[in-house]
């Protein structure tokens, strides 16, 4: 393996290590759950991304074939990470935040954690 | 309409085939047939959960959108890392930012919410009950209006071109 490839792999690994560390440190430092939620989104993007890039470069130069698994990991992360974050945020809102602490929505319906969507039974009785 | 019942979601079928070929990491005829079978059977079994077929208006725009999001992720990662490392805890000003949506299709709103969460510094928390606006939590900003403008001009406008 050439020195050039080794350099790229090393840089990618160091970058991902730094961002993984910052993400973990953020979990300790930030003060409530909704702020802490921001920290792991870092670890899953550049943190994991760096390792995946390093892995692709390594297999390309060492074994001479292009590995597609890393791209799939990226795809699955991009599919699952936002959904997890969204569920945590909603749970946190339902348990810890009252509706009047949030800015109002721009329509006549409130945020879906607190308000029912149009067309449900509760909604019909509210309109009457 | 038989074809439509057999292949309710051609794009989903194609994606499943490509993901399967990627998972086995080896292109053979057997894998191609198996992947095609998955691509046909899974959309049929799950068709009840996907009543509408999303329209993809301009496929090339998807690549542009992906590249822009990747770039934003790298930039925002560095910004948020700096906030976490060097900003005093009391000086971090988090904001809830309601963003009115012009998008109407469920797929487009899902992609937008995912993009907002994956770009560090912002997390999409919940939708308005009728889906006409989205509530975003921003880790630190001095100017909530500029965050809203960014989301609307960088992401929503492009998604509108792709999906509608």
């Amino acid at each position: 393996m050439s020195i050039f490839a080794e350099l790229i792999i090393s840089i990618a690994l160091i970058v991902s290590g730094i961002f993984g560390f910052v993400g973990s440190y953020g979990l300790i430092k930030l003060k409530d759950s909704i702020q802490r939620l921001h920290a792991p989104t870092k670890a899953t993007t550049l943190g994991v991304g760096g390792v995946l890039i390093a892995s692709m470069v390594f297999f390309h130069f060492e074994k001479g074939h292009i590995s597609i698994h890393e791209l799939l990991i990226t795809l699955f992360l991009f599919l699952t990470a936002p959904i997890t974050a969204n569920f945590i945020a909603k749970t946190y809102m339902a348990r810890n935040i009252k509706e009047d602490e949030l800015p109002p929505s721009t329509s006549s319906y409130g945020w879906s954690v607190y308000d029912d969507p149009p067309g449900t039974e509760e909604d019909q009785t509210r309109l009457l | 309409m038989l074809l439509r019942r057999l292949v309710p979601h051609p794009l989903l079928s194609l994606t499943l085939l490509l993901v399967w070929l990627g998972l086995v990491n080896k292109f053979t005829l057997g894998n191609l047939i198996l992947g095609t079978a998955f691509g046909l059977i899974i959309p049929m079994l799950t068709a009840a959960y996907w009543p509408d077929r999303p329209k993809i208006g301009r496929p090339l725009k998807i690549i542009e959108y992906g590249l822009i999001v990747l770039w934003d992720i790298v930039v925002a990662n560095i910004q948020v890392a700096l906030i976490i490392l060097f900003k005093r805890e009391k000086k971090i000003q988090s904001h809830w930012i309601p963003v009115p949506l012009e998008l109407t299709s469920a797929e487009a709103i899902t992609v937008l919410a995912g993009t907002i969460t994956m770009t560090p510094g912002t997390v999409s928390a919940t939708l308005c009950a009728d889906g006409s606006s989205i509530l975003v939590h921003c880790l630190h900003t001095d100017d909530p209006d500029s965050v809203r403008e960014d989301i609307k001009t960088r992401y929503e406008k492009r998604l509108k071109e792709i999906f509608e």
Side-chain angles (χ1 to χ4, degrees):
Chain A
M1 203 163 28
S2 67
I3 186 80
F4 180 64
E6 285 183 17
L7 201 66
I8 292 180
I9 293 172
S10 315
I11 291 174
L13 285 178
I14 290 171
V15 166
S16 75
I18 290 172
F19 280 98
F21 170 74
V22 171
S24 320
Y25 177 64
L27 278 180
I28 306 174
K29 186 188 172 184
L30 299 172
K31 59 177 184 287
D32 53 22
S33 295
I34 198 79
Q35 281 192 350
R36 287 193 197 109
L37 200 51
H38 291 280
T41 55
K42 251 112 282 142
T44 53
T45 49
L46 266 196
V48 177
V51 176
L52 295 178
I53 289 170
S55 163
M56 284 189 91
V57 175
F58 175 80
F59 278 109
H60 181 67
F61 282 98
E62 182 76 15
K63 307 267 158 119
H65 65 80
I66 295 172
S67 175
I68 312 188
H69 281 167
E70 285 83 356
L71 292 179
L72 287 178
I73 294 173
T74 317
L75 173 72
F76 293 146
L77 269 180
F78 274 62
L79 287 178
T80 53
I83 297 173
T84 321
N86 193 252
F87 268 93
I88 296 174
K90 280 193 163 184
T91 316
Y92 179 79
M93 287 168 76
R95 290 179 62 98
N96 297 307
I97 298 182
K98 294 193 189 68
E99 191 171 5
D100 50 19
E101 293 171 39
L102 294 170
S105 69
T106 45
S107 79
S108 57
Y109 290 90
W111 300 111
S112 63
V113 175
Y114 312 98
D115 203 1
D116 293 303
T120 54
E121 208 174 309
E122 291 84 353
D123 186 57
Q124 298 299 324
T125 52
R126 189 182 68 167
L127 288 177
L128 290 175
Chain B
M1 283 334 319
L2 180 69
L3 189 69
R4 202 192 153 108
R5 197 177 303 161
L6 275 177
V7 192
H9 298 287
L11 278 175
L12 180 63
S13 303
L14 187 67
T15 311
L16 284 168
L17 170 63
L18 289 178
V19 167
W20 178 255
L21 287 177
L23 274 176
V24 292
N25 224 353
K26 201 186 261 175
F27 186 84
T28 62
L29 184 64
N31 285 333
L32 187 68
I33 293 171
L34 193 56
T36 313
F38 283 135
L40 291 176
I41 293 168
I42 294 174
M44 256 188 259
L45 293 178
T46 57
Y49 307 107
W50 306 78
D52 307 319
R53 189 190 286 191
K55 286 191 215 63
I56 307 285
R58 298 160 82 171
L60 275 181
K61 287 267 168 189
I62 298 175
I63 300 169
E64 185 201 357
Y65 183 76
L67 290 176
I68 285 173
V69 170
L70 279 183
W71 173 248
D72 284 1
I73 284 176
V74 173
V75 172
N77 249 302
I78 296 166
Q79 288 172 347
V80 172
L82 293 177
I83 291 173
I84 290 178
L85 287 177
F86 300 117
K87 217 154 190 87
R88 299 257 304 282
E89 195 202 299
K90 289 199 181 93
K91 285 212 173 146
I92 296 179
Q93 293 172 321
S94 294
H95 287 277
W96 293 101
I97 305 170
V99 181
L101 292 174
E102 285 160 43
L103 299 170
T104 47
S105 90
E107 290 84 8
I109 294 179
T110 311
V111 174
L112 180 68
T115 309
I116 292 171
T117 304
M118 287 314 279
T119 46
T122 49
V123 165
S124 56
T126 187
L127 279 177
C128 177
D130 62 352
S132 66
S133 54
I134 187 167
L135 184 63
V136 176
H137 186 263
C138 186
L139 178 62
H140 172 82
T141 180
D142 300 319
D143 184 9
D145 290 331
S146 77
V147 176
R148 181 186 300 128
E149 271 315 298
D150 268 2
I151 290 172
K152 284 196 80 71
T153 53
R154 278 186 87 80
Y155 307 136
E156 192 190 9
K157 209 180 89 205
R158 291 193 168 84
L159 284 175
K160 213 172 156 57
E161 288 173 347
I162 292 173
F163 282 99
E164 283 159 25

